[in-house]
Every structure is written in structure tokens, then in C-alpha cells.
Amino acid sequence: MTTTIRLSIAEGAEPQSVNLMLAFAAPDDRNLPLCAPALLETGAGDTVNLGVVCGPTPATWRADRQMLLATRPHAGAGPFDARLHWGETTVEATLDRARAAAAAPVALPELPLFGVKQISTDRPLERVAKVRISGLMPGQQIRLDGGAGQVHLLPGATGPEQAAEWALAYPKPGAYVVALDLLDADGFWLATLAETPLEIAPPIEVPPEGQAQPQIATAAATLMAAAAGSRPWLPYRYARPAWGWSRTYTTPGGSQVSRVVGAGACLSIRAETLVGDALWYQTGSGDWIAASAVNLMTPSELRGVTLGEPAPPPPPPPPPPPGSRTGVVTASALNVRARPGVSADNPPIAQIHAGDEITIYEEQIVAGATWYRIGDARWVHSGYVRLTGAPTPAPTPPPAPPPPADVRHGVVTATVLNVRGQPGVRADNPPVAQLRAGDAVTIYEETTYGGATWYRIGDARWAHGDWIRLVEEAARAVRNVAAATAAAAQAADRISLPVGWVVTSALNVRARPGVSDDNPPIDQVKHNQALSILETQVVWGSKWHRIGQDRWVEGGWVGVARARPRPSNIGPEARWVGVCLQEQTAVAYEGDRPVYTMLVASGLSGTPTVQGIFRTWLRLPTGKMAGGNPAYGSYYYLEDVTWTCYFYSGYSLHTAYWHDAFGRPRSHGCVNLSPYDAWWIYEWSAAGGPNSPMVYVYWA
């Protein structure tokens, strides 16, 4: 069903006041939730700007099916009209307090059977829900919400007596609620018929047959710290078992088996010790495993981008090697080619112009003509280059000092106004410059000479005050222009959205968008490299991003983070993270201001990340995660997963130290972050309290 909305009325807390409510019909997974600006005409003569209002998703509808829009005084019982404009949708309603109070209660069907059971012990993440309904009206329907976005419907039009059985599969262990709601024919909530909590436990590691799980002993050997204290975002080292079903032991070098860890396990290393010549690691569970039985892991070094900070300067050009020469282009336009010579398979890749200075690194003769190499795979014909000596860079002038805070401003009123080195008109003080009518001047000092006022308008620059009109407006204008110019210059030199990352091993850079014989690669950008996205074009059905002057990359291999308006149910001061599933990127916001952006890896198609707006319910600096099913090859056991913010049941933002494949769906439903980015989010969001950050997961 299409997501629709209704306006309704409820009594306010204050006398003679009413609450204007917005109700959402239950969505399904075929329709993306709408986020759009909303305006409310309350019927009391005013209009309320609601900001950006977002509809709920299947996973969040039960919590967010109704929204308080405004509370307004209404002395009478009504009726009165209200109107809501939401994106391109307009909803009108006549709200009647007396009619609302006298509304008949909803006739509820009977529920002879409602239960949720595990299918079998070897399928720990699966359940079956059974329902039998009696007395369902034709204009009603039953909605079963199994959690994690799993929704099933029973339409009343099928008949008053119905029974159904639905399979529920949970991507992640965690706490869920299975609920049965009664809806009207349009999908709006009427009543909750039943709900039951459901705990999906992680799979349990079974000790070897015939052995009880022993108590973990503390090794007496001297332990060497394994955490890297200089990098707080990565406090542990990690390892994978070198083969399936490796054994751990209660003591280093001991013989009593603690447990068996299978494929899909990742162990943290808390400490290490030597037993004889053999190295042993203590795991995050406190037991020990031989170093020869594991392979050490290398977590990702990926880092996000802090927004609003000064952009890093471009790398300086390499110094010319000894013996290199310099030259100046003499042609109006000179083609640059990837190798010396003119041929069909060696087209121009760029152009340089008259007056451009070049450094010549190499010289070759091809077909009787001399060619100069002026860079990596960049050659030009020597006939259009005049050799010179090494250019001497012009000294950079010092910046002009800022004017004092108490300066004044004025405008010249004379046709021509002489400027002198000192105040006064005399033979030893001739004019040194002239000003024209309308010229604006800054006045730094005022003095009297010969009964006349003189203004100092610069170093050793004085003008007669009778021909200058003081203008406060001009002063303000000059200050405003100077401030705007400084702000623009500062903003242009700071990192801002959109920002992208390379999500393949290497990506070709071309001089213009599109792939063709006359547009060969001129450079490459590497995996996880951050890029400023300056422009986007679509060429032959493919998206291309400009990342510099005459530098374009294909967009299919770049994850791009863009700004997202703050939904109205996220407070203006809240710290929140917007996660874009289509681009596999995230942006951290303080209210409306983006402050940090990063690459992520969300859930695979079979274990998708839930969409909607959530509030963090648990923050953990470290902890174990386990899930999946060994029988299906989906089992995972992860020790010391750090910097975790749980936002919905077992779904969270957290470190993923076991892969470096960010920018593509990868997880069992969580939002994977690099170790540094997860630590950054965890530390930054702590200022918002135990329920920070809010998390907004959306498709595009």
C-alpha cells in the first residue's frame, strides 16, 4: 500500500487547547518512506513550518505511526478546518472536537491463537508465527510485525475467520517484539491485538564432546601488553584461526581444551607470553591459543574526513632532477601526448598555452622531430617551446595589515584631489598622487594644519578634509565586503560536502568524462582515497565526477557523501548520523551542521540494514558479537568489537576490524565502520548522552 497520511485531533493538556496529530498508514517494503518539507495550516489562523517530516519505515511504524504537529487554542468545539502540505501532497481535514469525543469504539476481532515458536534447534535465527482470527470485518486487516522490518498482512475481505502461519528469519541476534495490529482498509492503526517479546540468542560455541566448559584460568606467566596505546581507536590486535575448529586452552602451553573456534571466528589478542620457544596469545575470552594456530589480521587504516577544516594544500611539484631544463610555450595551444610522436593511437590528452612555463625532464627524437617529456607520460613537440633558464619565483608580498578597529571611511567629492606626503600645502610637500570624485578612502588619522582638517589615508598619504565626505554607510559597506570576501576565501579553502571515496583497487582519471580512444587515462586514484566532488555529469548513461581541473572519474566506483536535511523529529541541537545505503556513506551532524563524513559497509541483500530514524539505546566500548548458522556457512564469532552504538535491537554502528571492503554492502545488518571512524563517532557522540547519536538510515 502507498504511504498515506491523515490529520486528526486530540484534547490538549491545557483547557480549550487541542493537539493536531498526523497519522501514517502502515508502509510496506515496496515504498520508500517520503521525507519532505511540511507546512501546517492549523485552522486557528496561523501556519506552522514543520521542517522536514519523514514517514516511518516498516521497522519503525509501530513507534512512529503518529506525530504531534502542533498544539493550538480552540475555544469552541468546532468544526474547524486544517490543512497539511507535505511535499507534493496536501491533506485537508475538518476537525470536530465533539464528534471526536463521541466516536464509537472500534469493534475488535477475537484472537483464539497467537504464538511464536522456534522452528528447530539447528536454525537458531528462525521462528514461525501462528495466528487464528475470528470476527474480522471486511473493512479491517491484520498486520503482523515480526521485527527487523518483517511484515505480513491478513485482509478482512478474505473472510471473518482466518488462520495464517508465517516464517520469520532474523539477520541478527537481539531483542525483538512480535506484534499483531488491527488496521482499517487504508492501513491506519485501530488497535493492538497482541504483542510478545522475542529474544534471539547468539549461537553457542560447544566444547569438545565429553568435556565440560572449564573455568578460564589466569596465567601465571608474565604477560606483555598487546594493545597499541598510541592508537586509542585500535586497543587490541586480532587474529583468525589458521584452520577450521582450532582449539584454545585454559593456560598457555597447557593441555586442557577450553573451547573449539570454527571458521568465521575472529579472536582479539589481550596479551602474549612465551612457553619455551612457543608464543601464545591470550584471547578476549581469557583463554589461550598458540600463535602458530592463528593468522594475524591487519585492520583497515581508512579514515573519514572532518568537514569545515582547512583543505590540505596540493602536493608541491617534485624538484627537477639535476640537468633538467625549463622552457616557455610559444604556441597559442600546444597538445600534450602520452608519448612522443603524432599518431592515431597517441591522441592529445591535454593542452598547454602560450606563456606556460614547463620543466623538461627528457628529450627524444621521433620521425625527425624533437619531443620533450614534461611529466609522467606527458610529451610535447619542441618546435613550440623556447628554452629558458630556471625561472625565478617572484617574492610573495606580505599581507596587508588589517585596519584599526576605530577607522572611518569617506568618499572624495572633488573632481581631482591631491594626495601629499604630509598634511599642509607648501613647496616642500608636493602632491605624490591624485584621487578622483567618488573614490572611497579609509581614514586612519586626523590632524589640523593651517586651520584646515587633513586626513591620513595611508602611509605618508594625506588629503585635505574639505574634499572628503565622511560616510558611515560606506564604512559599513567596506567592512561587510571585507568580511564577506574573507569568509568566502576561507570557505573556499575548507572541506565541504560532497566528498567521495574510491571503492575499487584503482580508478582511472581522465581529462574529461566518458571513455573513448581520444580520452585515455592520465592518472589513477587508489582504494579508499578521499576525493572532493566538484561536479557531476552523466555521459552515455554513466555518472562521472570531476575531482580537479580536467580530472574526471567514473562514478560507479566512488561512494559519495552528500548533505541531508535534518528530519523534524531529530532536535536542532542533537548529534546524529545519516547513513545512505545507496552510496554506502555516512555523515555526522550537530543539528543542521555536517561535521564529519565516512565510508561504511551496511547489510547484504539477504541481511539488510533496517531503515528509519532511531535513537541509540546502548553504547559499549567493546564486546563480543556472534550470529549466523554454522550449518549454512553464515556463522560468525567476533571478539572485542569496539566502539559500538546499538540503535535497533542488535543493529549498531561499530568497528569492523576484519575487512577493508568499505563502500559496498558487507554485513549481517549492522553498519560497519573502520576502527578510526567508529572510535571518532563513539567519542564525538558521547557529549549527547547515553542515547546519542540518533541514527537515520535511508536509501538515497
Side-chain angles (χ1 to χ4, degrees), residues 429-455:
N429 187 30
V432 297
Q434 287 187 328
L435 299 173
R436 305 291 176 179
D439 287 350
V441 295
T442 300
I443 300 168
Y444 299 94
E445 185 181 348
E446 177 181 331
T447 190
T448 302
Y449 184 89
T453 299
W454 287 78
Y455 295 138

Side-chain angles (χ1 to χ4, degrees), residues 319-684:
S324 62
R325 294 170 293 168
T326 58
V328 175
V329 176
T330 59
S332 58
L334 177 59
N335 289 329
V336 180
R337 301 174 188 268
R339 60 180 188 273
V342 178
S343 60
D345 62 347
N346 186 30
I349 60 173
Q351 282 190 333
I352 51 180
H353 301 88
D356 288 349
E357 294 182 343
I358 58 174
T359 299
I360 301 167
Y361 299 94
E362 185 182 349
E363 178 180 322
Q364 284 190 22
I365 297 177
V366 175
T370 300
W371 289 77
Y372 294 144
R373 183 171 67 82
I374 62 172
D376 290 338
R378 293 172 65 87
W379 292 80
V380 295
H381 195 293
S382 68
Y384 304 98
V385 176
R386 176 171 54 84
L387 297 178
T388 64
T392 302
T396 303
D406 58 349
V407 299
R408 293 172 292 167
H409 298 271
V411 175
V412 175
T413 59
T415 304
V416 177
L417 177 60
N418 288 328
V419 179
R420 301 175 186 270
Q422 302 171 9
V425 178
R426 56 184 188 273
D428 62 346
N429 187 30
V432 297
Q434 287 187 328
L435 299 173
R436 305 291 176 179
D439 287 350
V441 295
T442 300
I443 300 168
Y444 299 94
E445 185 181 348
E446 177 181 331
T447 190
T448 302
Y449 184 89
T453 299
W454 287 78
Y455 295 138
R456 184 171 66 82
I457 59 173
D459 290 339
R461 292 172 62 86
W462 291 81
H464 198 293
D466 287 353
W467 308 107
I468 295 177
R469 176 170 54 86
L470 297 179
V471 182
E472 179 56 30
E473 291 77 8
R476 283 197 296 268
V478 169
R479 287 195 295 269
N480 291 341
V481 169
T485 302
Q490 187 180 46
D493 197 35
R494 293 183 179 272
I495 302 173
S496 60
L497 296 173
V499 172
W501 287 266
V502 180
V503 298
T504 186
S505 58
L507 181 59
N508 287 329
V509 180
R510 301 175 188 268
R512 61 180 186 273
V515 177
S516 60
D517 292 340
D518 62 347
N519 187 30
I522 59 173
D523 196 3
Q524 280 192 333
V525 285
K526 303 300 183 182
H527 181 237
N528 284 348
Q529 183 174 337
L531 310 170
S532 291
I533 306 300
L534 307 176
E535 181 184 352
T536 300
Q537 290 187 16
V538 176
V539 176
W540 300 325
S542 296
K543 188 179 294 184
W544 288 78
H545 301 307
R546 184 168 67 84
I547 61 172
Q549 183 67 37
D550 298 326
R551 292 173 62 83
W552 293 80
V553 294
E554 189 173 357
W557 304 103
V558 179
V560 179
R562 304 181 187 276
R564 182 84 173 184
R566 175 179 56 84
S568 60
N569 44 350
I570 296 178
E573 304 298 327
R575 299 192 173 207
W576 60 285
V577 178
V579 179
C580 178
L581 299 181
Q582 184 181 59
E583 292 288 343
Q584 294 291 291
T585 57
V587 180
Y589 298 84
E590 294 176 3
D592 296 313
R593 183 171 66 94
V595 295
Y596 192 81
T597 182
M598 69 219 83
L599 207 57
V600 307
S602 69
L604 294 162
S605 58
T607 54
T609 302
V610 290
Q611 297 185 49
I613 300 172
F614 308 93
R615 184 178 295 277
T616 293
W617 65 271
L618 178 64
R619 296 165 53 87
L620 291 177
T622 188
K624 296 177 185 176
M625 292 186 179
N629 190 337
Y632 298 158
S634 60
Y635 169 76
Y636 62 93
Y637 172 83
L638 310 168
E639 290 186 347
D640 280 318
V641 179
T642 53
W643 321 123
T644 301
C645 297
Y646 286 96
F647 59 85
Y648 174 82
S649 186
Y651 294 77
S652 65
L653 310 173
H654 65 72
T655 292
Y657 57 77
W658 49 91
H659 73 80
D660 191 21
F662 300 96
R664 291 286 184 262
R666 169 86 183 203
S667 78
H668 289 80
C670 286
V671 179
N672 287 185
L673 305 174
S674 72
Y676 183 88
D677 290 343
W679 171 78
W680 192 98
I681 291 293
Y682 190 88
E683 293 291 307
W684 161 80

Side-chain angles (χ1 to χ4, degrees), residues 33-55:
L34 174 65
C35 279
L39 288 174
L40 174 67
E41 299 174 20
T42 67
D46 61 340
T47 300
V48 181
N49 184 349
L50 301 172
V52 175
V53 172
C54 293

Side-chain angles (χ1 to χ4, degrees), residues 231-246:
R231 299 198 296 172
W233 56 91
L234 200 59
Y236 309 112
R237 290 180 294 162
Y238 299 94
R240 293 183 189 273
W243 49 82
W245 307 112
S246 299

